[in-house]
Amino acid sequence: MVLRVILKELLCEESFFGPRFQQPSACRALTKQADSPILIQRKVFKKKAEWSVNGTPVDFSTDGRRRLSGGNLIIGHPDRTWDAGTYQCIATNSVGTILSSRATLWFAYLEMFKSQTRSAVSVREGQGVVLLCGPPSHSGELTFTWVFNEYPNFIQQDSRRFVSQVTGNLYIAKVEPSDVGNYTCVVINSVTKGKVLSSSTPLVLRTDGAMGEYEPKIEVNFPETVPAAKGSAVMLECFALGNPVPEITWRRANGVPFPSKVKVQKSSAVLEIPDFQQEDAGGYECVAENTRGKNVARGRLSFHAKPQWIQTATDTALAIGEKLLWECKANGKPKPSYSWLRNGETLATEGGRVQVENGALSIAAVNLSDAAMYQCVAENKHGVLYSSAELLVLGKTLLKARAGTEVVLECRPQAYPQAVTLWKKGNEILHRTERILLLPGGTLKIINVTKADGGSYTCMARNQFGTASTTGRLLITEPTRITQGPTNMEIIVGESIVLPCQVTSDPALDVSFSWVFNGQLVDFQQDKTHFERVGGIFAGDLMIRNIQLGHAGKYICIVDTDVESLSAAAVLMVKGPPGPPSAVTVEEITDSTAQLSWMSGRDNYSPIKGYVIQGRTAFTLGWQALDTVPEVIFGNTLTATVVGLNAWVEYEFRVVSSNAVGVGEPSPPSAKTRTEDAVPDTPPTDIGGGGGTQSELVITWEPVPEELQNGDGFGYIIAFRPVGGATWTRAIISTPEVARYVYRNDSIPPFFPFDVKVGAFNKRGEGPFSSITTVFSAEEEPSVTPGGVLARSVSASQIEVSWRPLASAPERVLGYEVTYWEDDTKPDTVGKVRVFGNQSSVNISALTGNSQYFLTVSAFNTAGTGPASPSVNATTKKASPAQPPMNVEWTLIGAQLTLHWDPVVAMETESEVTGYQVSTRFRFLSYSRTFMTNKTTAELTLPANDDYLIQVRVLSEGGEGAATEPIRIHRLSKSFHPLLNRN
């Protein structure tokens, strides 16, 4: 196996300022044999070079295959398992450290095909076929060709044959007899130039005839989205199988013609777009068409570009205290992101002094420790760029002072004998004036400085042994003023606001903003959910999002410059719903009332308007508002009486307050407290009964819920008497859950009316009774048989049964029950149907066709079913024909629809055909219409502007038969055209 190495070459050297890397826009590729050493060059002056691979430093002490030579990395006996990866050089000298761009090392290879016989592919003449290549494991770009029968008889691509350079497969749009033979896939690695051949694939013709014509089927298609790099050559493939051989054409989805640079190759199967640019992005369509039809493949080319520098930082020298501002800009698609490195490490921002935003680096008031090598890094997912610059910090002093203030310049030379000092502004010697004071020891003091005092000042010291001097620069700035500061505000919880802090300042000053909230410095990183400084680096406005009650307080905007510090303060009042009340206490409780007291919560800057008392018990679903006295509890009231409570129930209470902003959180619940017991005040409901067996009076009721029982020892009192009687018979039931009582006495006549009432009691006494309800004693089942029972077959599945209702009977009749069966020897075939009232017939359905059924009728009431009538019988009709109408033809001329179908002939076991039913369903008018005929044709007039669904079914004595498949006729317009179709 042949291995080759691909590596981008990067050279580095050292300039006057610091290390530099030469980074050509198109790096040269180094190609080496795998067994020979790899040399990665880095020319570094005087100092050292280090290397990393995949972000890990190379340890030359433990890796004998890798060594440094003058900064260059040499890899002996490279191995694709251990040496493939991303390499980067770290160059360092006395000035600082920078990183090179990254170089990727990868190994191209191509393994052999597996030596296995490939199965023959059998196709019909005229059919399309795809022969699969299945390339072996590899790395590096491949090219594909195919050999027919013997090497080097290569397949010549044309409109009928195509070799995809994406999949490697061979596509034959339409197989001809001359295509029969053996096919071999040839794979070439474009990097190593290695070549491998697959086993041959035999192509044979089937003997069952030629393939008919068919529309194109696109087999080679480009992806739905194809990313394309700026300046690259884009190749799109498209090929279709079909008979006749399809013709391939290309077009843009937006209809814009192709520019002249676009080329179509290989019988239009390949579209090539050289030098791809932004305007080439968009939708592309491949159209495959023959006389049988056409198909379209669609995809989209998306544009991307590696970053390219527009503006880079340059080497800069600044005095201590001056401001650095570097900007780097790059274009690219997608838009690059930026970061900065200092001596090869990610640059950390330092509390506002060092700021990085959108590729701009600013350092306010540089000091000696800022001197270093800096790199701007522009990166998107397609590439990364490095730009280097040195910051040199000079020791010359720069002093800034605000106009109108006092400036002191000290000069304390170390000399013996003592030196004589004098001061110069520029080249002019300074003398004492009312504003300029020359103090003992060499100090210069200037009072009430103005712009004119700015400039270069030199202190010169001289004694008999010589002269020395030091120079500094004085910069006079205009006063900084806060033009718009924060003001006291009231705001509702949940809203968002911006507290302004706008200043005017001298352009020479560096201005920084900070905010203090209730004595604590605002940390914008820690509190970024709510706090954000808006307007960019040089703006001081404070945005507070989704304000909470805890954000109320004092806010101070602090403005710091090189020469002064200013501040502006405001108080923010946050209004919100009240805080939860506390200390909810039950002061006094009875069987139906509870007197409560509580303490109010915080009003949160909006007076409390009122309170609501809520309660819950084991019998309620959550908390519920309770009635109180007073009915409306105002905000200045802290006691109330809850009324309408149930006796002998354990309650919890809580209080909810509200103000103009909203309803606050509820208080913690009170301790559980039980109301006093009382005599029941709720009688049982739904008194009823009846039924049962002979000589019984059955009484039922709805039990009283536990929360309404008012105390222990709960039970029921059942009282009853004959209607019109004077004396009540009473019975006691001591089980609260019981809801039924049965009184048995042989003297009770059947179906006799009784007055019934039910009351409740507990240990405190008897409660009220329910209202009186009439309940009948158990009745006897009917003793009379219905007469005139007749049965007739309606269809294959229905029999109609009729009878003569009982005009009078000793017993009550609620209705009639029809019992039917198919065979006396099969009891499981018995069925029953009941009808209520004085009904005299019923249809028995879901029966078996052409079968005899036996039927009886009897009367019933709550006691049961009376004697059955003598049985009658009827035979269901034969089933309707199972065959739907066939060969339905329809013609539509204008709005006139004509239908014709073949007649249906019934089988011996089926009912004779009596006619046909044509049903029409209108989609938009949302209704159906049916039409009956005994002919095999029908004419219908269809309204315009609708869709129709038409079916034809057979009619017979056995009922409706099977229907045809639906005939769908799409919406008619006012312009009619003749249509002919067959279903």
Side-chain angles (χ1 to χ4, degrees), residues 142 314 332 380 545 684 691:
L142 303 180
T314 57
N380 65 16
R545 292 191 177 92

Side-chain angles (χ1 to χ4, degrees), residues 354-672:
V354 179
Q355 295 286 336
V356 174
E357 183 175 339
N358 293 332
L361 167 65
S362 65
I363 304 177
V366 298
N367 53 49
L368 292 175
S369 65
D370 294 321
M373 290 299 300
Y374 291 81
Q375 286 180 286
C376 177
V377 184
E379 183 173 9
N380 65 16
K381 63 182 180 180
H382 303 292
V384 58
L385 290 178
Y386 292 82
S387 170
S388 305
E390 180 188 4
L391 173 60
L392 178 63
V393 180
L394 305 176
K396 181 179 177 180
T397 303
L398 173 66
L399 178 63
K400 297 177 183 179
R402 178 170 60 86
T405 60
E406 184 179 279
V407 174
V408 175
L409 303 178
E410 292 188 349
C411 180
R412 296 178 180 178
Q414 302 293 319
Y416 186 83
Q418 184 174 354
V420 176
T421 61
L422 63 86
W423 282 89
K424 295 173 65 178
K425 180 186 178 190
N427 295 321
E428 179 184 350
I429 297 176
L430 294 178
H431 299 283
R432 180 185 180 94
T433 67
E434 292 182 355
R435 290 192 315 108
I436 300 175
L437 304 178
L438 299 173
L439 303 179
T443 299
L444 172 65
K445 184 176 184 180
I446 306 176
I447 300 172
N448 193 22
V449 294
T450 65
K451 282 279 188 179
D453 293 320
S456 177
Y457 287 80
T458 302
C459 172
M460 303 183 64
R462 181 175 64 243
N463 64 11
Q464 65 193 71
F465 295 106
T467 302
S469 66
T470 179
T471 301
R473 189 159 65 93
L474 176 62
L475 178 65
I476 307 301
T477 64
E478 294 294 334
T480 301
R481 292 186 300 108
I482 297 177
T483 57
Q484 184 181 6
T487 58
N488 295 342
M489 297 181 67
E490 293 183 357
I491 192 169
I492 304 298
V493 67
E495 296 180 348
S496 299
I497 61 165
V498 173
L499 297 180
C501 190
Q502 305 290 335
V503 301
T504 58
S505 64
D506 194 292
L509 294 176
D510 294 324
V511 181
S512 64
F513 299 87
S514 58
W515 284 85
V516 172
F517 167 50
N518 287 342
Q520 297 294 323
L521 187 67
V522 174
D523 186 334
F524 289 96
Q525 287 298 319
Q526 182 177 348
D527 300 331
K528 60 184 177 182
T529 302
H530 296 286
F531 294 106
E532 180 184 356
R533 190 170 55 205
V534 295
I537 297 176
F538 305 108
D541 295 348
L542 173 65
M543 173 177 279
I544 312 176
R545 292 191 177 92
N546 188 20
I547 286 181
Q548 302 300 303
L549 294 172
H551 293 141
K554 185 176 183 180
Y555 289 81
I556 303 175
C557 174
I558 300 175
V559 183
D560 289 308
T561 70
D562 310 69
V563 298
E564 61 188 325
S565 180
L566 301 86
S567 66
V571 174
L572 183 62
M573 183 183 297
V574 180
K575 292 184 175 182
S582 60
V584 179
T585 305
V586 180
E587 303 288 353
E588 183 179 344
I589 195 161
T590 67
D591 59 355
S592 62
T593 66
Q595 185 176 341
L596 305 182
S597 65
W598 60 90
M599 296 178 62
S600 63
R602 295 180 54 183
D603 65 3
N604 292 327
Y605 304 107
S606 178
I608 296 174
K609 288 189 172 182
Y611 296 95
V612 172
I613 298 178
Q614 299 175 338
R616 72 176 175 187
T617 70
F619 312 107
T620 59
L621 187 63
W623 292 91
Q624 297 179 350
L626 302 176
D627 294 332
T628 60
V629 175
E631 184 176 353
V632 177
I633 307 173
F634 293 106
N636 57 357
T637 303
L638 298 178
T639 62
T641 300
V642 181
V643 297
L645 303 178
N646 295 326
W648 201 242
V649 172
E650 197 171 56
Y651 280 88
E652 288 180 286
F653 301 98
R654 71 180 186 184
V655 181
V656 180
S657 55
S658 62
N659 58 15
V661 178
V663 178
E665 292 292 320
S667 69
S670 68
K672 291 183 179 180

